Amino acid sequence: MPIRGDSLALYTSREKPLSGRSLDFEQARYVVLGFPYDRTSTYRRGSAMAPTAIREASGNIETFSFRSNVDVEEIAICDVGDLDVVDDLAETLRRLEASVRDVHGAGKIPILIGGEHTLTYGAVRGLGGDVAVVDFDAHLDLRDQYMGSRLSHTTHMRRLAEEIGPERIVEVGTRAVSKGELEYARDTGVHFYSTLEIRRHGAEKISTLIAQRLSKFRKRYITIDMDVLDPAYAPGVGNPEGDGLEIGALIDILTMLAGAGLAGLDLVEVCPGYDTGITAAQAVKVIFEALAAAEGRGVEADMA
Ligand code: MN
Ligand code: MN
């Protein structure tokens, strides 16, 4: 019998769960975990409010995926609510890691809604070994430190590369890097695909290349920093950066990768205080299409 770990007692359930409906933990295949934390954010804060804003928006969006032929309403989802976060990042990430370990250990797929991007570090640690990470992001987040901090939303992918191995990380939608990050990526083999390459070669070709690169690893974790999108599609993010992906390209690549071996997924860096409502609505669309693709596992097959 799957055990609901003690770590999930640290979550406060929300009045409005994602997609409006939440099953019991035992019946669910996907477990939604909110991460209302933004204390290391360097520019525009407020992503701590995003789990609530995204759940709110999810109640007003159609649940049927035309792409995957799956209705999200019929997917077995349990929304356990928001993590009880504290000021201290290390302790907050420990709690997140423990809860992801419990969800993964029960044979379920954690779907995390941030909050700031550091959550990915805790989540991936919670999945144990043999995991590869796909990061959709305008930035590489590979700095060694930033403003004196070794763990923040600009350095977390570096810490992750050190922990799981740089060859297990692929970044997608890159267009804002420091010289140091670029050198680190090239020296260690963290692979990235710029928006320019994606536009030139197309979503299908890029997805195939990523899938080939990750095929030797058993588990796949996908993280979506919403600033991967062009600010025209997602104005309400912490660090907006032009020349971004358009929403269709993001969903095309994402759904082709979410079909097989998905062990977990997060969506981060939405800042409701800077949003018109567009970013939260896009976030819901992205999460729904990823869930539908993971459940249907049909998009990849259809494209073959
Ligand atoms: Mn970013
Ligand atoms: Mn990021």
Side-chain angles (χ1 to χ4, degrees), residues 117 135-137 139 141 153 156 225 227 268-269:
H117 209 169
D135 176 24
F136 292 90
D137 200 328
H139 313 89
D141 295 345
H153 77 151
H156 66 103
D225 180 330
D227 70 28
V268 298
E269 298 287 342

Side-chain angles (χ1 to χ4, degrees), residues 33 98 100 147 158 180 188 251 261 276 289:
L33 308 165
V100 168
M147 317 244 276
R158 175 81 163 248
T188 60
I251 296 176
T276 55
E289 291 295 349

Side-chain angles (χ1 to χ4, degrees), residues 47-282:
S47 65
M49 302 303 294
T52 301
I54 290 169
R55 286 192 184 95
E56 181 84 37
S58 77
N60 299 296
I61 284 172
E62 295 288 355
T63 53
F64 182 73
S65 166
F66 183 72
R67 287 164 177 264
S68 293
N69 203 29
V70 168
D71 195 332
V72 173
E73 219 170 47
E74 288 162 15
I75 298 178
I77 300 171
C78 167
D79 184 345
V80 297
D82 287 344
L83 178 65
D84 181 12
V85 300
V86 291
D87 263 334
D88 183 51
L89 175 61
E91 169 58 20
T92 299
L93 288 180
R94 256 194 301 279
R95 293 177 180 191
L96 182 75
E97 182 184 334
S99 46
V100 168
R101 185 171 296 117
D102 284 341
V103 170
H104 182 66
K108 303 174 191 302
I109 299 176
I111 305 293
L112 297 103
I113 305 177
E116 63 171 55
H117 209 169
T118 38
L119 80 80
T120 303
Y121 180 72
V124 172
R125 283 172 58 109
L127 290 176
D130 208 7
V131 61
V133 177
V134 183
D135 176 24
F136 292 90
D137 200 328
H139 313 89
L140 290 172
D141 295 345
L142 284 175
R143 288 175 192 272
D144 189 32
Q145 48 177 300
Y146 193 71
M147 317 244 276
S149 174
R150 291 197 23 100
L151 189 56
S152 80
H153 77 151
T154 68
T155 66
H156 66 103
M157 292 303 290
R158 175 81 163 248
R159 300 288 92 81
L160 205 53
E162 290 162 356
E163 192 145 328
I164 67 172
E167 73 286 356
R168 290 172 179 264
I169 293 175
V170 175
E171 308 221 36
V172 187
T174 313
R175 59 194 185 274
V177 300
S178 75
K179 199 157 162 280
E181 286 176 293
L182 211 50
E183 280 165 7
Y184 178 81
R186 291 197 171 137
D187 289 350
T188 60
V190 172
H191 202 86
F192 62 90
Y193 297 94
S194 68
T195 46
L196 200 60
E197 285 172 279
I198 296 166
R199 231 171 269 137
R200 224 172 246 162
H201 301 291
E204 197 177 335
K205 169 84 178 156
I206 295 291
S207 315
T208 306
L209 291 173
I210 298 169
Q212 278 167 357
R213 199 168 271 285
L214 302 184
S215 61
K216 52 181 175 291
F217 308 117
R218 199 162 57 85
K219 299 177 218 167
R220 187 177 298 174
Y221 183 90
I222 297 177
T223 170
I224 303 134
D225 180 330
M226 281 295 278
D227 70 28
V228 73
L229 289 173
D230 191 90
Y233 299 95
V237 295
N239 295 71
E241 180 78 31
D243 195 22
L245 286 188
E246 58 119 357
I247 183 76
L250 168 62
I251 296 176
D252 283 350
I253 301 172
L254 174 65
T255 51
M256 284 185 264
L257 295 173
L262 185 72
L265 176 137
D266 71 50
L267 184 143
V268 298
E269 298 287 342
V270 172
C271 292
Y274 297 91
D275 195 16
T276 55
I278 292 175
T279 317
Q282 300 280 34

